[in-house]
Amino acid sequence: MKNLISERVADFIKNYPPFNVLDVKSLYLLAEQVLIIYKEKNSIVFSVDENPHAHFYLVHKGAVTLTNTTTNTIIDFCDEGDIFGLRPLIANENYKLEAKAHEECILYGIPIEVFRPIAKQNEEVSVFLMESFASNTRNPYSKNQKGQLYGFDVDSDKNKDVNIPDLQLANYSKKLISCSPRTTIQKAAELMTKKHIGSILVVSNELPVGIITDKDLRSKVISGKHPITATVRTIMTSPVITYPKKLTITQAQMAMMKSNISHLVITEDGTVNSKALGIMSKHDVMVSLGDNPAVLVKAIKRTQKVKQIKQLRKSVMILLSGYLEQNIPLGLIAKIISELNDTCIKQVVELSLAKMNEKPPVKFAWLALGSQGRSEQLLHTDQDNALVFENVPEAALPKTTAYFLELAKRVTKGLNTIGYEYCPADMMASNPKWCLSLQEWNNRLSYWISNPGPNEVLMSSIFFDYSLAYGERDLLDQMSEHIFRTVEKYPIFLVHIANGALQSPSPTGFFRQFVVEQDGQHKDFFDLKSRALRPLIDAARVLILSHSIKGISNTWERYEKLAELEPNNQELYMACSYATKALLKFRTRQGLLHHDSGRFIELEELTKQEKMKLKRTFKAIKEIQELITLRFKVANILG
């Protein structure tokens, strides 16, 4: 005889993850054991520090809130189809949050002992539960549970036999041969010959300060430029390029090509401020064949026409798609794709310079702004850039500006050819407002910061997310120093930029439904950029600026740095870092699927699981905006 109740349970749970991926036999086996629970409004499902239940829960009807009772903050709001109370299944600990019926509820209690063996056999179920648990604990980087569920690594079987050259760790020589800066070139050369090595590290106080290679001896000594009796200080390459020991083949290749060097120094913490562990040479790095980042970099640099770069950009997108399919960490994907994008931009500038009638009259720098400036631009989006050139006498300014405007027009046209749309707001170096001398830029930035209206805040905030795409880094550094000095003089600017960070529209309505566009070309679509990514990006910017931290423009790296600076807010900042990467990966997947920027999402095409993944990131947005409101007292000062 059929069990009608268990059939109804099965018919309901099969529509929601992770139960939607179970086979029919497992689904009905589970449904027969499900406990049906009725809860009145405001009644407790479980309390903080309560012993773990034998079930975790699925909301059939109604809604449940998960609350941090210490701060009296609602951490999550679970409605139909949402699961909660996973701690006994995963961590075997007492509950850390209070679960309370927000309204009259019917819950399904999923028996852990029945469910555990089913989940162990299904990797997709395991991954989903781990993500859900990370969301409810608000710490996706829990040291005890990271990457593990029920005591085994959910990715171990999946990745056991996968051989990805781009992720293979590069070998390096651990037999370090070193000398001091006072050593003569002759002694160093004799030591290199005796040890049969092609390089020697120059060390001072046990820290790497330089390196000498066979090439240095040929080009600087044998050529007669320096006598062999001189010290190695006169010919060494300094500062050295350092990396930590867990360096992949691809990262090593990219680093060598980017800096045009043949050796990397491996140190304890990856910086010149720690002891050297070894040296990695081009000989140590095995260059993989095929659509490999290093191969693409070489191909881009060999192009003679802009249209050739356009074809190679297609290979970059194929590479990106492959990385996403292999579920490679987004941080690594972003670094590789950003480096390839930078190489494309540099080559477009080089080709544009070659077409100019004259060489540049003074030094200049081409700045990447926005997502490319943050190393977060994975898809073909519109271009945001600026140009800064050295100061010149006032009489020479018009002619100098005219030269760089002509160059900028060639570059922006070339970027458009290879796939970057023109900026709708004309924030491009081809616009005279975005092609200025260093002094002109400093004057403009000072005005924006000291007169922080809405438009000025928007304009100035762009210059906290820039990076050098081509040219003189010194110009960029001088601009950065000027910006930070000016912000220190006008601290009220931080309040205005904090207020700007709170202007992004909410991603969800009162009942947690997605808020979609009400009119226009994208009516009924969800704006992932404005409602989800931008609030996280803006919040990271103002918080890192308030700590006067320079040199970090990437959003998730900013949050990771903030987690170091403010241990009391570590979980929130790491949740924001996780949410940023999750949203960017989601946008990238959507963009590749629909051949667009991935900004506007048609919700009807998403599965319940995809919608739930999106909603999980919204908690971090809400909490980081609450933190900014309290910290900068925005409402009190600007209200």
Side-chain angles (χ1 to χ4, degrees):
M1 187 175 180
K2 290 185 177 181
N3 185 331
L4 295 179
I5 294 178
S6 63
E7 283 192 359
R8 288 180 181 178
V9 171
D11 284 341
F12 178 80
I13 67 175
K14 72 180 181 183
N15 297 311
Y16 300 98
F19 314 105
N20 59 334
V21 298
L22 299 181
D23 58 74
V24 175
K25 182 180 177 181
S26 299
L27 185 70
Y28 277 91
L29 174 66
L30 190 64
E32 288 175 356
Q33 304 296 321
V34 163
L35 184 66
I36 301 174
I37 304 164
Y38 169 78
K39 286 288 181 181
E40 294 183 349
K41 182 178 179 179
N42 292 327
S43 60
I44 302 297
V45 182
F46 53 75
S47 303
V48 175
D49 289 330
E50 185 176 332
N51 290 332
H53 295 184
H55 305 77
F56 66 94
Y57 299 94
L58 171 74
V59 180
H60 175 53
K61 289 184 179 179
V64 171
T65 56
L66 300 178
T67 304
N68 181 334
T69 55
T70 304
T71 60
N72 199 29
T73 303
I74 294 178
I75 300 300
D76 203 359
F77 186 98
C78 305
D79 54 18
E80 183 177 310
D82 288 338
I83 58 175
F84 66 95
L86 291 169
R87 188 167 293 276
L89 175 67
I90 295 173
N92 196 26
E93 299 172 347
N94 291 352
Y95 295 106
K96 304 297 184 185
L97 303 173
E98 177 190 79
K100 180 191 289 186
H102 183 68
E103 56 193 53
E104 194 176 34
C105 290
I106 295 178
L107 308 176
Y108 286 165
I110 312 298
I112 291 172
E113 291 307 313
V114 177
F115 185 77
R116 182 178 280 117
I118 295 174
K120 278 187 177 182
Q121 297 170 11
N122 193 309
E123 181 184 330
E124 195 172 346
V125 171
S126 299
V127 173
F128 176 82
L129 290 173
M130 195 66 240
E131 289 177 346
S132 298
F133 177 68
S135 174
N136 286 334
T137 59
R138 207 187 63 179
N139 184 6
Y141 294 93
S142 169
K143 291 181 181 178
N144 295 329
Q145 287 83 40
K146 183 178 179 182
Q148 295 194 346
L149 189 61
Y150 330 115
F152 68 88
D153 186 343
V154 297
D155 290 327
S156 59
D157 291 336
K158 176 180 177 183
N159 293 329
K160 189 184 297 180
D161 300 320
V162 176
N163 185 19
I164 307 173
D166 300 326
L167 298 183
Q168 293 176 20
L169 294 180
N171 295 319
Y172 62 90
S173 175
K174 298 176 183 177
K175 294 181 179 179
L176 265 180
I177 306 299
S178 63
C179 65
S180 79
R182 296 185 298 275
T183 304
T184 65
I185 296 172
Q186 183 175 6
K187 265 194 174 180
E190 288 173 353
L191 189 57
M192 290 168 67
T193 302
K194 181 180 178 181
K195 298 293 183 179
H196 303 288
I197 55 172
S199 64
I200 187 169
L201 191 64
V202 183
V203 176
S204 178
N205 296 323
E206 296 190 345
L207 299 179
V209 295
I211 190 170
I212 297 173
T213 66
D214 284 336
K215 183 180 178 182
D216 292 319
L217 295 175
R218 289 195 307 271
S219 62
K220 299 175 183 178
V221 182
I222 297 175
S223 64
K225 292 181 180 179
H226 297 273
I228 60 173
T229 54
T231 62
V232 295
R233 188 192 300 274
T234 60
I235 67 166
M236 70 182 186
T237 299
S238 179
V240 293
I241 306 298
T242 58
Y243 274 85
K245 58 184 177 181
K246 288 188 177 180
L247 181 67
T248 67
I249 292 173
T250 294
Q251 287 173 318
Q253 291 171 324
M254 301 293 281
M256 290 177 180
M257 290 179 185
K258 182 178 181 179
S259 302
N260 194 27
I261 55 175
S262 58
H263 292 76
L264 301 175
V265 178
I266 308 303
T267 63
E268 289 178 345
D269 67 0
T271 74
V272 294
N273 299 316
S274 63
K275 187 177 179 181
L277 301 176
I279 291 180
M280 184 183 301
S281 68
K282 278 188 178 179
H283 178 73
D284 298 319
V285 178
M286 300 183 65
V287 180
S288 304
L289 299 176
D291 278 339
N292 166 287
V295 174
L296 284 171
V297 166
K298 285 183 178 179
I300 292 166
K301 288 182 176 180
R302 286 198 299 264
T303 57
Q304 298 298 313
K305 296 181 180 180
V306 170
K307 288 183 178 179
Q308 294 173 331
I309 302 177
K310 183 179 181 179
Q311 294 303 314
L312 291 169
R313 287 268 295 172
K314 293 179 181 177
S315 296
V316 174
M317 290 299 102
I318 292 171
L319 192 70
L320 171 61
S321 181
Y323 283 157
L324 289 172
E325 286 178 8
Q326 295 173 71
N327 205 27
I328 292 172
L330 188 83
L332 179 55
I333 295 176
K335 279 183 168 61
I336 294 172
I337 300 302
S338 291
E339 189 59 46
L340 288 166
N341 287 339
D342 277 348
T343 304
C344 290
I345 294 171
K346 288 176 184 176
Q347 190 64 8
V348 170
V349 176
E350 290 279 9
L351 294 175
S352 299
L353 281 167
K355 291 183 178 179
M356 298 291 288
N357 295 326
E358 301 175 357
K359 292 184 177 180
V362 293
K363 295 177 181 178
F364 74 99
W366 185 274
L367 310 181
L369 310 176
S371 57
Q372 181 62 16
R374 295 189 301 272
S375 297
E376 295 167 15
Q377 187 183 71
L378 301 181
L379 298 168
H380 292 182
T381 57
D382 59 318
Q383 50 180 296
D384 296 299
N385 44 59
L387 189 148
V388 54
F389 55 87
E390 276 187 317
N391 293 327
V392 295
E394 191 172 345
L397 186 59
K399 184 177 179 181
T400 307
T401 302
Y403 175 91
F404 285 113
L405 275 174
E406 183 184 347
L407 172 64
K409 287 175 182 176
R410 290 181 184 274
V411 175
T412 53
K413 183 180 178 181
L415 292 175
N416 180 257
T417 300
I418 69 172
Y420 291 99
E421 295 294 330
Y422 290 118
C423 175
D426 204 18
M427 292 182 185
M428 299 182 294
S430 53
N431 181 342
K433 294 179 180 179
W434 297 85
C435 180
L436 303 171
S437 70
L438 177 61
Q439 187 59 55
E440 287 176 313
W441 270 122
N442 286 347
N443 292 342
R444 182 158 296 182
L445 289 162
S446 294
Y447 176 80
W448 285 341
I449 294 169
S450 60
N451 298 274
N455 191 56
E456 286 76 17
V457 169
L458 173 63
M459 294 296 101
S460 57
S461 66
I462 291 170
F463 280 83
F464 297 112
D465 292 352
Y466 60 16
S467 65
L468 180 69
Y470 183 93
E472 298 296 321
R473 178 163 295 280
D474 182 58
L475 293 170
L476 182 80
D477 292 340
Q478 289 185 60
M479 283 181 69
S480 296
E481 288 295 330
H482 178 79
I483 289 171
F484 278 90
R485 284 198 306 269
T486 310
V487 170
E488 286 178 8
K489 288 170 60 178
Y490 297 95
I492 190 66
F493 174 74
L494 285 177
V495 179
H496 286 273
I497 202 170
N499 182 58
L502 300 174
Q503 299 308 306
S504 298
S506 174
T508 56
F510 185 76
F511 295 105
R512 286 217 317 164
Q513 79 279 16
F514 287 91
V515 177
V516 297
E517 301 304 291
Q518 297 300 307
D519 49 37
Q521 180 184 355
H522 301 288
K523 187 177 184 295
D524 297 328
F525 280 68
F526 178 72
D527 187 345
L528 187 69
K529 176 182 176 180
S530 293
R531 295 185 182 274
L533 273 168
R534 185 178 291 157
L536 290 166
I537 292 166
D538 291 347
R541 182 188 301 117
V542 67
L543 287 166
I544 207 75
L545 181 59
S546 70
H547 284 281
S548 297
I549 300 297
K550 306 168 188 175
I552 304 177
S553 58
N554 178 269
T555 301
W556 54 84
E557 289 179 356
R558 281 173 167 172
Y559 280 122
E560 288 164 13
K561 183 63 178 179
L562 287 166
E564 292 178 20
L565 296 170
E566 301 178 32
N568 57 315
N569 290 317
Q570 183 179 28
E571 285 197 5
L572 172 58
Y573 290 142
M574 294 308 290
C576 287
S577 173
Y578 175 85
T580 304
K581 287 186 277 191
L583 287 166
L584 185 58
K585 180 177 278 191
F586 188 87
R587 178 180 178 179
T588 305
R589 290 185 188 279
Q590 290 292 309
L592 290 172
L593 181 64
H594 299 288
H595 306 289
D596 58 20
S597 69
R599 173 175 178 173
F600 293 96
I601 309 298
E602 191 169 6
L603 295 173
E604 291 181 0
E605 292 187 0
L606 302 185
T607 64
K608 169 70 175 178
Q609 185 172 352
E610 288 172 328
K611 290 178 183 178
M612 290 173 70
K613 283 185 176 182
L614 271 182
K615 282 186 177 180
R616 278 193 212 106
T617 66
F618 297 164
K619 288 188 301 177
I621 297 171
K622 180 176 180 291
E623 291 180 12
I624 199 67
Q625 290 191 324
E626 288 173 351
L627 183 147
I628 287 175
T629 301
L630 291 172
R631 178 167 299 184
F632 296 98
K633 300 180 175 61
V634 174
N636 294 338
I637 296 177
L638 299 179

